[in-house]
Amino acid sequence: MKVILATPRGFCAGVVRAIDIVELALKRHGAPVYVRHEIVHNRHVVESLEAKGARFVESLDEIPPGAMTIFSAHGVAQAVEDEARSRGLPVLDATCPLVAKVHNQGRRYRAQGREIILIGHAGHPEVEGTLGRIEGPVHLVQTVADVAALPLSDDVPVAYVTQTTLSLDDTRQIIAALKQRFSDLEGPDTNDICYATQNRQRAVRELAQMVDLVLVVGSKNSSNSNRLREIGAESGVPSYLIADETKIEREWLGNVRTVGITAGASAPEVLIERVIDRLAEWDDLDVSTMSGREEHIHFKLPADLVES
């Protein structure tokens, strides 16, 4: 069986930065440190950090007074930051800089007097954080149909921002619908969707042309991992989202001679290695890596964690 690995795949710079912040905080301040929400959407990563002394909570009420507090890579609403400040909690913010960029875009458009539309998935932590970072009402749209249902005049000044981990195709369709409806519309280019999301989506489209089956390593609650599986399926190739090697069903492999493997931006490379090892238990493998876009982006750590 041939196995082709996507390039790029797995960890992005924002995820690396977030994990580094937790690990450096544990080293600098000792265990436990408290992280509001999963630092990234991957149970392997979360459990690894828990073993080192991180405690993951969904509410600041669960954090003891004075305990080191970390905001996840998905970002938080302003009210959460204000609550932490009012309680005197020391905070390290692991919000991905590209998510913070969306927050800033939304605030800038609001300052121009525009109605704000957020393209994203209801209930996702990044969306909840963005909704809570822009003053005044923000209209959330998830589909083209939602655009038609917006309770806004067609000539009102409007601006849109996007969740960073969406499918580029879905986003383009919604933006096209916004442009068709509103005569005064501003917004970032689809290029402002996270570089890692774009690169991994392009790679899985190319990968799907080479293989009989696509395996996407990632968690069910990882938005970008779900999009990768959907893109593989839309390309006409059976595609499965798996948390790790234990989730592979041998019957999927039936008449498959070439398997493509990719991973969401919060999935570590060790999980891909374990998937390959499981496949090797069932067949001799010829493993190769497709050519693709190399990523050399690094985000700065908070100043108080950097060694002087």
Side-chain angles (χ1 to χ4, degrees):
M1 179 184 291
K2 291 184 178 180
V3 173
I4 303 177
L5 305 180
T7 301
R9 62 184 181 273
F11 278 179
C12 64
V15 166
V16 170
R17 176 180 181 271
I19 294 170
D20 284 350
I21 285 173
V22 177
E23 292 183 334
L24 287 170
L26 285 165
K27 182 179 178 181
R28 181 70 58 88
H29 301 285
V33 300
Y34 290 80
V35 185
R36 185 187 179 278
H37 193 66
E38 293 182 347
I39 188 68
V40 295
H41 282 160
N42 187 276
R43 285 306 306 169
H44 177 88
V45 171
V46 168
E47 290 170 2
S48 174
L49 293 173
E50 283 177 333
K52 297 176 182 178
R55 301 290 177 264
F56 294 88
V57 301
E58 291 302 317
S59 170
L60 296 185
D61 294 339
E62 303 173 61
I63 301 176
M68 177 56 64
T69 302
I70 300 173
F71 295 151
S72 81
H74 311 98
V76 300
Q78 185 64 48
V80 175
E81 184 176 332
D82 293 344
E83 180 186 353
R85 185 179 298 109
S86 69
R87 288 191 54 199
L89 295 173
V91 170
L92 290 168
D93 189 355
T95 299
C96 174
L98 298 180
V99 174
K101 179 181 178 181
V102 173
H103 298 168
N104 292 332
Q105 287 170 337
R107 287 193 290 263
R108 186 171 68 252
Y109 290 136
R110 174 69 76 204
Q112 295 172 1
R114 294 182 175 275
E115 292 281 350
I116 308 299
I117 295 169
L118 171 59
I119 304 170
H121 296 301
H124 189 279
E126 181 186 331
V127 168
E128 294 299 314
T130 300
L131 290 171
R133 284 284 173 175
I134 303 170
E135 288 188 12
V138 177
H139 306 274
L140 179 64
V141 297
Q142 304 182 80
T143 65
V144 169
D146 290 342
V147 173
L150 285 168
L152 298 171
S153 300
D154 294 353
D155 59 353
V156 68
V158 170
Y160 66 86
V161 292
T162 69
Q163 180 181 336
T164 62
T165 53
L166 296 179
S167 159
L168 283 168
D169 287 340
D170 288 346
T171 306
R172 285 194 189 99
Q173 292 171 8
I174 294 172
I175 292 170
L178 290 169
K179 289 179 177 177
Q180 186 172 13
R181 175 168 174 190
F182 295 105
S183 58
D184 186 358
L185 179 70
E186 294 265 343
D189 188 84
T190 50
N191 289 335
D192 272 26
I193 288 178
C194 154
Y195 79 93
T197 296
Q198 293 186 74
N199 290 347
R200 280 152 189 73
Q201 289 181 6
R202 288 193 189 102
V204 81
R205 280 194 185 90
E206 294 178 19
L207 183 68
Q209 306 307 311
M210 310 175 191
V211 302
D212 305 313
L213 176 80
V214 171
L215 297 177
V216 179
V217 182
S219 296
K220 287 184 178 180
N221 62 339
S222 165
S223 177
N224 76 87
S225 298
N226 277 284
R227 301 292 81 72
L228 293 177
R229 188 208 63 78
E230 290 172 0
I231 289 168
E234 289 164 3
S235 301
V237 179
S239 301
Y240 299 94
L241 176 63
I242 55 171
D244 55 40
E245 77 283 359
T246 67
K247 303 302 182 183
I248 304 172
E249 301 287 344
R250 191 167 183 176
E251 51 265 34
W252 294 346
L253 302 174
N255 297 318
V256 169
R257 294 312 305 156
T258 307
V259 175
I261 303 176
T262 188
S266 49
E269 186 70 12
V270 64
L271 295 182
I272 295 172
E273 294 169 0
R274 282 162 43 178
V275 167
I276 294 171
D277 289 344
R278 174 56 56 89
L279 294 176
E281 294 174 7
W282 298 330
D283 202 345
D284 294 331
L285 300 184
D286 174 10
V287 181
S288 62
T289 301
M290 63 179 273
S291 59
R293 187 168 300 190
E294 300 289 338
E295 294 176 344
H296 303 287
I297 293 176
H298 302 279
F299 293 134
K300 291 182 179 179
L301 292 166
D304 50 353
L305 282 182
V306 177
E307 294 288 343
S308 57

